[in-house]
Amino acid sequence: MNFNPIFSKEKEFLFSIHETPSFKIKELGGGLNFDVSNVYDYEMIKKVSLTVMRKNARSDREFLLWVHFIGYHIKLKYDAKWALVKFTLPNGENTLAHFYPILIDKENTLWKVGEFCLEAYYYGKILLGDSFLTYYKLHIERALYKAKLSDLHLEEGRLILLD
């Protein structure tokens, strides 16, 4: 997983990502200037994602709200639950902790929503050359590979269940 300071400095948002979904969705819609409340609908997911990707100005808050939006769609569609994975990096004499949001379903299928949204938003690796349908099938429907929680090989204490 790529390090990005947003996941270090926005711990409050990350630890409450599972709370008040209607408030977060409404805030995202206000920033995009259209109603985004139909989080079940593929066309809405596509419209929101492409609008966010095509904006010239980048906003950490909008990124976090978009991560929540995509994650909430996955949560509803696959009956998944929010969790955080903790990573620590050396920072001089201290360590710097950052957290990546993920979703896990009953079969321990894993969606690394923090990672694939980060790559799309900040690094432009997704949505620029691929169609949104490809993005959706690869990362949300998991058409090629359904990663499992065990694939992360997490040490004790690194998984924080939120739901």
Side-chain angles (χ1 to χ4, degrees):
M1 293 185 181
N2 293 317
F3 172 76
N4 188 291
I6 185 73
F7 291 127
S8 295
K9 66 182 182 179
E10 295 293 344
K11 291 177 189 170
E12 184 178 333
F13 183 92
L14 292 173
F15 276 87
S16 66
I17 197 165
H18 63 297
E19 298 171 350
T20 63
S22 59
F23 176 77
K24 291 178 178 90
I25 289 167
K26 187 175 181 178
E27 183 180 346
L28 177 62
L32 299 179
N33 297 316
F34 60 88
D35 179 24
V36 301
S37 61
N38 190 0
V39 72
Y40 297 99
D41 183 47
Y42 167 81
E43 289 301 322
M44 180 57 66
I45 302 301
K46 179 179 177 179
K47 180 179 179 180
V48 168
S49 297
L50 293 177
T51 301
V52 167
M53 289 295 108
R54 290 180 177 147
K55 288 177 103 177
N56 288 329
R58 294 289 190 221
S59 155
D60 288 347
R61 182 67 182 182
E62 187 172 80
F63 165 70
L64 291 170
L65 291 169
W66 180 60
V67 168
H68 172 267
F69 184 77
I70 295 294
Y72 192 62
H73 173 74
I74 292 167
K75 176 181 174 60
L76 296 175
K77 184 171 182 172
Y78 297 99
D79 194 26
K81 302 212 179 282
W82 285 103
L84 298 174
V85 176
K86 179 181 180 182
F87 289 90
T88 54
L89 297 171
N91 185 19
E93 294 181 10
N94 302 314
T95 58
L96 178 65
H98 67 281
F99 303 87
Y100 274 85
I102 62 172
L103 287 111
I104 309 164
D105 72 4
K106 291 175 185 161
E107 286 80 40
N108 282 329
T109 302
L110 173 70
W111 288 265
K112 295 192 255 180
V113 68
E115 183 177 5
F116 66 76
C117 287
L118 178 78
E119 289 177 351
Y121 192 79
Y122 286 104
Y123 305 118
K125 291 184 178 178
I126 305 167
L127 293 180
L128 299 177
D130 294 335
S131 71
F132 182 77
L133 181 59
T134 301
Y135 177 81
Y136 190 86
K137 291 219 174 268
L138 288 175
H139 297 289
I140 297 172
E141 289 185 348
R142 313 296 299 193
L144 294 180
Y145 177 69
K146 292 187 184 339
K148 296 290 186 181
L149 183 58
S150 60
D151 295 342
L152 292 180
H153 305 288
L154 295 175
E155 299 149 4
E156 188 174 332
R158 289 192 46 212
L159 180 67
I160 302 162
L161 300 174
L162 299 175
D163 281 328

